[in-house]
């Protein structure tokens, strides 16, 4: 597996190791990803967010979130292996709003799940998180495509459960597109609630990296900048949990 050059990856590793989170700007992440693999299907990858389906599991009755889901196993012997569709499950400890049930979501489209962009993102995350946890030989990885829609009459809530942990080891949040929205600021918090940092994913490939065992995270609601036009926030969320 081709991995990012150590000098490129070092700032993200250092911030994750010291603070439990890192913000990587799009141009820097693009350099890391293109060193790892290629993004030749990026346009098709981004366009697939236009075909996400409504999340019908929202306990707040919100109709502002669309998503797809996929599961992979990554290990040293076999590399990246797509898994059969399976439900997404979080306990109520980690998701007070929608946890405690099996949530079956439409799968990521096959061409996107096996395409070069997603494969490259997985390889990069594996290299990064594997460096932080070198004793882990196998990972359970979940992929979430999210579109949060904002409307003149209601805001879209990227984290409707509030500031939270996901119940995994590491999280990568990658911005695909911001369309006509205001706000959507990511905040990072210590377990006692103290805010440790904040930043806004503003450009494609801007990313947040989170050590989920150490810090909590949330995102402020998004509202339309121009109420007369469509408004949404598209992100890819990748979670790594040791097996």
């Amino acid at each position: 597996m081709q991995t990012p050059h150590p000098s490129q990856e070092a700032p993200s590793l250092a911030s994750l190791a010291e603070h439990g989170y890192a913000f990587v700007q799009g141009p820097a992440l693009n350099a890391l990803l293109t060193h790892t693999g290629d993004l030749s299907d990026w346009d098709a990858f981004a366009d697939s967010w236009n075909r996400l389906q409504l999340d019908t599991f929202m306990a707040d009755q919100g109709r502002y979130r669309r998503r797809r889901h996929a599961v992979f196993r990554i290990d040293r012997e076999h590399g990246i292996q797509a898994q059969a569709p399976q439900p997404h499950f979080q306990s109520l400890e980690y998701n007070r709003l929608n946890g405690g049930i099996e949530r079956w979501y439409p799968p990521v489209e096959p061409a996107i799940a096996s395409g070069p962009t997603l494969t490259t993102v997985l390889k990069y995350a594996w290299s990064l998180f594997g460096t932080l946890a070198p004793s882990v030989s196998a990972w359970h990885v979940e992929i979430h495509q999210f579109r949060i829609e904002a409307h003149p009459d209601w805001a879209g809530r990227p984290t409707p459960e509030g500031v939270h942990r996901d119940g995994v080891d590491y999280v990568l949040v990658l911005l695909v597109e911001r369309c006509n929205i205001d706000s959507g600021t990511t905040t990072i918090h210590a377990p006692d609630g103290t805010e440790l940092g904040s930043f806004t994913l503003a450009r494609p490939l801007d990313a947040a990296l989170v050590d989920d065992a150490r810090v909590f995270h949330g995102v402020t609601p998004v509202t339309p900048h121009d109420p007369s036009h469509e408004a949404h926030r598209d992100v890819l969320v990748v979670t790594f949990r040791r097996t």
Side-chain angles (χ1 to χ4, degrees):
M1 178 183 69
Q2 189 178 22
T3 58
H5 191 279
S7 63
Q8 294 176 305
E9 199 172 37
S12 300
L13 279 170
S15 183
L16 269 171
E18 182 176 357
H19 305 295
Y21 72 95
F23 168 53
V24 185
Q25 295 188 1
L29 187 63
N30 182 70
L32 289 164
L33 292 175
T34 52
H35 185 84
T36 303
D38 75 77
L39 306 175
S40 57
D41 71 335
W42 174 264
D43 289 345
F45 176 78
D47 182 64
S48 71
W49 264 255
N50 293 316
R51 297 184 295 278
L52 304 189
Q53 297 186 27
L54 187 68
D55 185 341
T56 59
F57 289 96
M58 299 295 291
D60 65 357
Q61 307 304 311
R63 298 179 67 81
Y64 52 81
R65 182 159 77 175
R66 298 180 180 274
R67 69 192 294 177
R68 289 182 182 269
H69 175 250
V71 179
F72 294 83
R73 176 183 170 87
I74 300 182
D75 64 47
R76 293 171 184 165
E77 182 177 359
H78 300 102
I80 299 170
Q81 310 152 72
Q83 303 295 288
Q86 54 190 268
H88 176 54
F89 180 84
Q90 291 173 295
S91 70
L92 288 169
E93 175 187 0
Y94 293 108
N95 191 326
R96 298 184 301 274
L97 180 67
N98 298 316
I101 60 171
E102 292 188 344
R103 289 179 281 165
W104 287 90
Y105 293 110
V108 174
E109 294 173 352
I112 301 303
S114 62
T117 293
L118 185 55
T119 300
T120 296
V121 171
L122 290 176
K123 287 180 178 178
Y124 164 73
W126 182 19
S127 170
L128 181 70
F129 300 146
T131 300
L132 291 166
S135 65
V136 178
S137 61
W139 299 94
H140 174 86
V141 179
E142 295 193 43
I143 304 299
H144 305 266
Q145 291 179 289
F146 286 108
R147 168 167 285 183
I148 302 300
E149 298 175 333
H151 187 271
D153 295 330
W154 37 258
R157 301 169 63 196
T159 53
E161 63 272 48
V163 173
H164 66 286
R165 291 169 53 212
D166 286 340
V168 296
D169 289 289
Y170 300 104
V171 183
L172 165 66
V173 182
L174 174 73
L175 185 74
V176 175
E177 183 185 46
R178 282 175 64 101
C179 176
N180 186 38
I181 58 168
D182 292 326
S183 195
T185 298
T186 298
T187 59
I188 306 294
H189 301 259
D192 65 2
T194 302
E195 185 174 313
L196 302 176
S198 66
F199 44 85
T200 300
L201 305 182
R203 298 175 295 179
L205 294 177
D206 280 0
L209 304 167
V210 177
D211 183 335
D212 193 61
R214 293 175 56 194
V215 299
F216 289 63
H217 64 280
V219 183
T220 59
V222 296
T223 55
H225 181 73
D226 180 347
S228 66
H229 289 83
E230 177 186 353
H232 62 255
R233 179 181 187 262
D234 292 349
V235 298
L236 175 74
V237 175
V238 183
T239 64
F240 273 61
R241 176 173 56 82
R242 67 191 69 200
T243 63

